[in-house]
Amino acid sequence: MPEQHPLESAFDAGAADFERLAPSLWNPMGNALVAAADVHLGEQILDACCGGGAITIPAAQSAGPDGAVDGVDISADLLDVARRKAGTLSLDNAAFHRSDILAWQPDTQYDVVLCGYAVFFLPDMDAGVRHLVSLLRSGGRLALTTWADGSLTEFSSMLYRHCVAVAGEGAPATTGARDNMYAINTPEKATAWLQGLGLEQVEAVHTPAPVQLNPELAWSVVLGSALRLLLPEDPAATEKVKEAFLAELGEDYTLNADTLVVTAVKP
């Protein structure tokens, strides 16, 4: 990967915090996505933007020793987390690769392409998903998760308000991803989007995902995600944001992490 991806340093820096959300969010939703994709024994699978392996691991387990899963991500630190998980479980059919997913060109076509909470980070979301679909065989399945309408909204708006109060007004660093999320955040919008890209048998299911956060875990949500890009560059200013944000959030906050689980078939 010759040039650093714009989000690479953010996800490397936040890898440990990202992983703290695994038990309450990434793992259950990863299992749900693999189940929705109906992964079979012996299938060839791509986990696009695999992060810490919350989807790769259950996909490799479902595919069995005669199947194979490629986990691809830009973050070396998250890939290390995923490799350790696979090694602990002796999942020799899972391989991990550091690459921008848009540059990923395997030697074979996949039966299933999975993508968890990442399509909205693609700079051109339509073109990016067309690339993922191009990696599928005819009749192969695409399955993805994305944030549902209202998900994370209160939490992220509160954080941004405190960032502005401390560091002044500025354009959110995640504007493109936010606009992409809003474009596909209901079952109707997500279904129409994938149908418009030529996919068939599209289904989008709203899945409630409330996550209980104490202050420590709440700050891990910030540091372990692209929300960290909203924080001021000055560490002292960031500490002021943290103090004010967590004070408003309280000791026991329920994060709305409602998710759309979307599946489709390549003609």
Side-chain angles (χ1 to χ4, degrees):
M1 195 163 58
E3 296 183 6
Q4 187 180 59
H5 190 283
L7 290 173
E8 180 183 341
S9 59
F11 282 107
D12 276 345
D17 288 286
F18 178 94
E19 191 58 21
R20 291 191 183 102
L21 271 293
S24 56
L25 182 58
W26 309 135
N27 291 349
M29 296 313 301
N31 289 330
L33 185 62
V34 171
D38 193 22
V39 173
H40 300 149
L41 290 171
E43 289 194 310
Q44 305 295 305
I45 301 158
L46 170 65
D47 182 7
C49 311
C50 67
I55 295 168
T56 323
I57 298 303
Q61 291 170 324
S62 296
D66 293 330
V69 184
D70 286 320
V72 176
D73 202 272
I74 57 172
S75 170
D77 287 10
L78 283 174
L79 287 169
D80 285 344
V81 171
R83 287 191 187 96
R84 289 197 296 271
K85 289 180 184 177
T88 298
L89 296 170
S90 299
L91 290 172
D92 297 331
N93 62 338
F96 297 94
H97 315 270
R98 181 169 168 263
S99 173
D100 185 333
I101 194 61
L102 298 178
W104 181 249
Q105 292 289 350
D107 295 330
T108 185
Q109 289 188 306
Y110 295 103
D111 299 297
V112 183
V113 170
L114 306 168
C115 187
Y117 304 104
V119 293
F120 41 77
F121 286 126
L122 300 172
D124 183 331
M125 192 164 63
D126 287 1
V129 170
R130 286 192 184 98
H131 171 66
L132 295 182
V133 172
S134 76
L135 305 179
L136 281 168
R137 64 168 176 79
S138 179
R141 287 106 64 206
L142 173 70
L144 61 90
T145 47
T146 189
W147 302 116
D149 186 23
S151 183
L152 308 183
T153 301
E154 180 184 70
F155 186 91
S156 58
S157 297
M158 192 185 306
L159 176 68
Y160 182 63
R161 176 161 43 81
H162 286 291
C163 288
V164 170
V166 170
E169 189 73 37
T174 53
T175 299
R178 181 196 63 192
D179 292 346
N180 284 341
M181 282 188 282
Y182 288 167
I184 58 171
N185 66 357
T186 68
E188 295 77 15
K189 287 192 283 188
T191 298
W193 171 57
L194 289 183
Q195 287 175 339
L197 294 178
L199 293 165
E200 299 178 345
Q201 300 177 44
V202 182
E203 294 186 18
V205 178
H206 184 284
T207 306
V211 179
Q212 294 303 123
L213 301 178
N214 60 26
E216 181 181 5
L217 195 55
W219 196 241
S220 284
V221 172
V222 175
L223 295 184
S225 71
L227 290 174
R228 72 180 294 129
L229 298 174
L230 298 177
L231 298 173
E233 293 184 8
D234 176 33
T238 290
E239 193 60 31
K240 290 180 181 178
V241 170
K242 177 181 178 181
E243 182 179 349
F245 172 66
L246 294 182
E248 182 176 355
L249 213 62
E251 291 295 317
D252 186 18
Y253 178 80
T254 301
L255 177 70
N256 177 350
D258 288 2
T259 294
L260 296 184
V261 178
V262 189
T263 56
V265 174
K266 178 180 180 178

